[in-house]
Amino acid sequence: MAREILVTVDIDETRAVVLEDGELVEIFIERPVHQRVVGNIYNGKVENVLPGMQAAFVDIGLERNAFLYVDDALPGKAEVEGETVGAPAARALSIKEIVRPAQEILVQVAKEPIGTKGARVTRHITLPGRFLVLMPHVDYIGVSRRIEDDKERERLKQLAAKVKPAGAGLIVRTVAEGADEEELGRDAAFLQRLWERIAARAKTAPAPSLLHRDLSLVHRIVRDWFDDTVDQFTIDNKDEYQRALEVLELHAPQLKDRVKLYTRTDQSLFDFHSIETEIDKALKKRVWLKSGGYIVIDQTEALTAIDVNTGKFVGTTNLADTVFKTNLEAAKEIARQLRLRDIGGIIIIDFIDMEILEHRQKVLRTLEEELRRDRTRANVLGLTQLGLVEMTRKKSRQNLDEALMRPCQYCDGRGKVLSEETMARRVRAEIRRILKQSSSEALLMEVHPPVAALLIGAGGANLRQLEEELGKVIYIRGNSEVHVEEMNLRVLGTRAEVEERALPVKVGQTVEVKIDEAHVTNTADGIARVDGYVVDVEGAGALVGKRVRVEIIKAHRTYAKGRMV
């Protein structure tokens, strides 16, 4: 199986994808605005203890308190690389016997905050390295279940015993297959030093406070995914390319020649590999199969339901054969879609009814075999009396749908539209495409106001960076009448031509405007718009909804300043 990793770095987003035999199977997204917290270690303070729920809420400094379940409340247990080790379940104890209000405890985030739920935390601390996972509170040695060769498992276990820090535990990761004692020893020493620094900070840091932040996306991909099974690792950012090489120099120098820097300017890395098209398909409910059949994926808060249909596939032999072939193809695609969309929780699959027992068993075996490629733990429970397949898949972060989309304000949350972050990236890509193919000096692009704010950035930082990259002048105008998923190219030409259209008002001009809203940070001022161009009106914060005459005293590229006359 050919495996490839692609990483693209943009101004406010880094994305990585994994391809297997040319098919997209995994996608990872990291945005500085929505910083990932899984793996972070905090000094937290217990806020509430709820015996009725056998849980506690812990303040770790995030917007919402984190959730600590009783099974995660006793240090000395860990679950990594398919291994569950350490202390027995704490359910025999009441949560109030383990923690108390105002107590300061060391916790690690196990699940991201999702929707209205806060992060889920655990006191079972684990620190992953390239080859090993350190468990400071568990004296244990284990080997990843994905390493199936008994001799190799025993060899790695013996090496881990030699390098294990006293009183701590180690799990040997899958990527360590074939590694020598020096490599494991270097990894163990690094993780032990890291833990000592965290423990030292914990003694003096007030609660709540962050003690350790997990690595950036590129570093995690190199650490967790890049091994001998990966044929090529391509990245389109020179700085991150150098960082990837530095990490590999320490952990796997033999893989450095597989890292490639993508330098083409006429086409982005993801466009070259048609990744954007595949991501768009992964956001749709209906997924077509090559045979002409299709599956429908419905995600709800409680569970995900997947329905299989023959669609346009009519087969060539008989009905039973047509149904079997459709279900077999669907089983493979469902396993891929679960990984790609990162769907977790309870999953119900409604395959087309099969009368032949052998066909049912073959479809279930195929689903289980395909799920073995998935690094996230999945468990197929079998068929129900209704002929539905029940399964579960571990959920630790936002799925693709939640990461790239948000509830639609146009239909009161019944559907979804692309998020402003996703749309801002697409607008930037379109601006790059237009200006690289045109000799024009400048352009004016009109978009939905929140999208415009992201494109411009704080103090115009994002816009300046894009202009420096392209060597052109770019004007962005927000217009609430433009749909959040649309963009309108208003002017493409010389700088003078674009500026004339982009700035609808001039210093000294008097205009009549309607005050739309109070200024966000300076509520004494009001905000008006002229053809989507923002006018900050001094002293008009209390006049929302009223029309006033305003003299323009300053005119900038992204807004103007005015005073009432």
Side-chain angles (χ1 to χ4, degrees):
M1 178 180 61
R3 179 176 286 162
E4 187 174 358
I5 296 174
L6 310 177
V7 179
T8 182
V9 181
D10 207 337
I11 293 169
D12 58 357
E13 181 178 87
T14 300
R15 292 180 297 160
V17 299
V18 179
L19 306 178
E20 290 179 353
D21 292 332
E23 280 196 318
L24 180 63
V25 295
E26 303 263 2
I27 179 167
F28 306 90
I29 301 169
E30 185 170 85
R31 293 167 176 153
V33 178
H34 306 291
Q35 187 70 46
R36 164 191 157 97
V37 296
V38 165
N40 289 0
I41 298 174
Y42 295 86
N43 195 15
K45 179 181 286 187
V46 178
E47 289 288 310
N48 309 96
V49 178
L50 307 173
M53 293 177 63
Q54 279 289 69
F57 286 99
V58 183
D59 181 7
I60 58 174
L62 301 182
E63 184 180 351
R64 292 183 294 274
N65 285 340
F67 182 81
L68 176 68
Y69 185 56
V70 65
D71 264 5
D72 301 317
L74 277 176
K77 179 182 136 185
E79 183 178 330
V80 286
E81 295 284 317
E83 288 276 316
T84 302
V85 298
R91 291 181 186 176
L93 297 172
S94 169
I95 187 68
K96 64 182 181 182
E97 297 177 75
I98 303 173
V99 295
R100 63 184 184 278
Q103 180 182 353
E104 293 188 9
I105 57 175
L106 199 67
V107 293
Q108 186 171 32
V109 178
K111 288 186 179 180
E112 293 277 358
I114 299 173
T116 58
K117 298 178 182 177
R120 182 165 174 171
V121 295
T122 177
R123 296 178 77 185
H124 315 318
I125 307 297
T126 58
L127 292 173
R130 170 74 175 175
F131 302 109
L132 303 168
V133 177
L134 176 70
M135 301 173 292
H137 301 138
V138 183
D139 194 348
Y140 179 86
I141 296 173
V143 179
S144 168
R145 290 181 183 176
R146 291 180 182 271
I147 299 177
E148 297 178 351
D149 183 88
D150 290 337
K151 289 184 178 179
E152 178 64 3
R153 290 178 63 84
E154 184 58 32
R155 184 186 75 88
L156 289 170
K157 196 167 186 177
Q158 290 177 7
L159 291 182
K162 292 180 180 179
V163 301
K164 184 180 78 69
L170 292 175
I171 294 286
V172 181
R173 306 189 72 179
T174 309
V175 73
E177 194 165 6
D180 58 30
E181 183 178 346
E182 183 183 352
E183 290 172 310
L184 298 189
R186 192 165 55 239
D187 213 28
F190 165 76
L191 293 173
Q192 181 62 17
R193 289 196 302 272
L194 177 60
W195 168 244
E196 288 170 356
R197 287 199 298 270
I198 294 168
R201 288 193 199 111
K203 292 178 181 178
T204 57
S209 60
L210 173 66
L211 302 176
H212 167 72
R213 187 184 297 281
D214 200 13
L215 302 171
S216 67
L217 177 59
V218 174
H219 200 144
R220 292 198 311 274
I221 291 292
V222 173
R223 181 190 70 190
D224 299 339
W225 280 89
F226 196 16
D227 56 24
D228 290 325
T229 66
V230 176
D231 300 293
Q232 188 164 305
F233 183 105
T234 308
I235 189 165
D236 65 1
N237 180 277
K238 192 171 183 179
D239 291 338
E240 293 294 348
Y241 166 76
Q242 292 295 339
R243 289 192 189 99
L245 292 178
E246 289 168 8
V247 174
L248 287 171
E249 182 63 40
L250 291 173
H251 299 298
Q254 75 277 9
L255 297 177
K256 287 174 64 178
D257 61 347
R258 303 189 192 185
V259 183
K260 308 296 179 186
L261 177 63
Y262 184 83
T263 56
R264 287 183 58 168
T265 58
D266 60 323
Q267 198 174 22
S268 73
L269 175 63
F270 274 24
D271 283 341
F272 180 74
H273 289 271
S274 301
I275 301 299
E276 299 292 358
T277 303
E278 289 301 310
I279 292 174
D280 282 342
K281 288 180 183 177
L283 296 175
K284 293 182 176 10
K285 289 174 62 173
R286 180 172 296 190
V287 180
W288 287 97
L289 306 174
K290 291 177 182 177
S291 65
Y294 65 89
I295 60 177
V296 177
I297 302 173
D298 272 310
Q299 294 177 245
T300 70
E301 192 166 340
L303 55 82
T304 297
I306 302 176
D307 185 35
V308 182
N309 297 275
T310 54
K312 295 178 283 188
F313 181 50
V314 295
T316 56
T317 309
N318 53 50
L319 177 60
D321 184 66
T322 301
V323 168
F324 175 56
K325 287 181 178 178
T326 303
N327 283 338
L328 210 55
E329 187 181 5
K332 295 177 182 179
E333 185 61 28
I334 287 168
R336 184 177 85 93
Q337 290 293 328
L338 293 178
R339 294 175 65 190
L340 175 57
R341 300 175 187 230
D342 203 13
I343 295 172
I346 300 169
I347 300 160
I348 303 295
I349 306 171
D350 185 10
F351 285 108
I352 307 167
D353 290 340
M354 293 171 284
E355 297 295 333
I356 302 173
L357 176 61
E358 185 183 346
H359 286 180
R360 294 199 295 269
Q361 292 173 340
K362 175 65 173 174
V363 168
L364 277 177
R365 281 199 305 271
T366 299
L367 178 63
E368 289 169 343
E369 287 167 8
E370 292 296 317
L371 286 170
R372 288 197 186 102
R373 297 185 182 187
D374 191 353
R375 294 192 175 206
T376 300
R377 190 177 71 249
N379 186 21
V380 179
L381 305 174
L383 285 163
T384 69
Q385 290 182 337
L386 294 175
L388 304 173
V389 174
E390 290 182 329
M391 65 169 290
T392 60
R393 186 172 183 271
K394 187 177 179 181
K395 182 170 185 174
S396 61
R397 60 188 174 107
Q398 283 186 320
N399 59 43
L400 188 66
D401 186 70
E402 293 166 333
L404 296 184
M405 306 184 84
R406 64 174 178 77
C408 173
Q409 74 255 33
Y410 300 101
C411 61
D412 198 25
R414 291 188 299 275
K416 293 185 177 181
V417 295
L418 292 174
S419 68
E420 288 87 355
E421 294 92 340
T422 302
M423 195 60 204
R425 181 186 52 75
R426 293 192 174 188
V427 174
R428 271 196 301 273
E430 181 64 11
I431 290 173
R432 288 184 177 112
R433 187 190 67 80
I434 292 169
L435 291 179
K436 284 178 180 179
Q437 295 178 359
S438 171
S439 59
S440 299
E441 295 176 342
L443 65 69
L444 167 62
M445 187 70 80
E446 190 175 67
V447 295
H448 198 63
V451 178
L454 287 173
L455 289 168
I456 293 167
N462 291 352
L463 190 58
R464 281 196 303 273
Q465 189 173 337
L466 190 58
E467 287 181 326
E468 289 171 5
E469 174 188 330
L470 297 172
K472 304 289 179 75
V473 178
I474 302 166
Y475 287 85
I476 301 294
R477 179 193 292 171
N479 187 346
S480 57
E481 293 183 4
V482 176
H483 191 284
V484 70
E485 291 188 345
E486 293 177 354
M487 62 185 97
N488 297 329
L489 177 61
R490 287 303 186 191
V491 191
L492 180 65
T494 66
R495 181 168 185 166
E497 291 169 342
V498 175
E499 186 170 289
E500 180 68 21
R501 290 283 300 277
L503 304 180
V505 298
K506 295 180 175 60
V507 174
Q509 182 180 356
T510 300
V511 293
E512 185 176 306
V513 296
K514 178 186 175 184
I515 305 300
D516 295 326
E517 61 199 280
H519 195 288
V520 174
T521 56
N522 182 10
T523 55
D525 287 1
I527 296 296
R529 291 177 177 84
V530 179
D531 295 333
Y533 180 74
V534 173
V535 180
D536 181 354
V537 183
E538 294 178 345
L543 302 176
V544 175
K546 296 184 179 180
R547 300 192 70 83
V548 297
R549 288 186 62 78
V550 174
E551 179 187 1
I552 305 300
I553 55 176
K554 291 181 182 178
H556 304 285
R557 290 178 53 193
T558 54
Y559 78 100
K561 193 85 172 173
R563 60 185 170 213
M564 291 183 288
V565 294

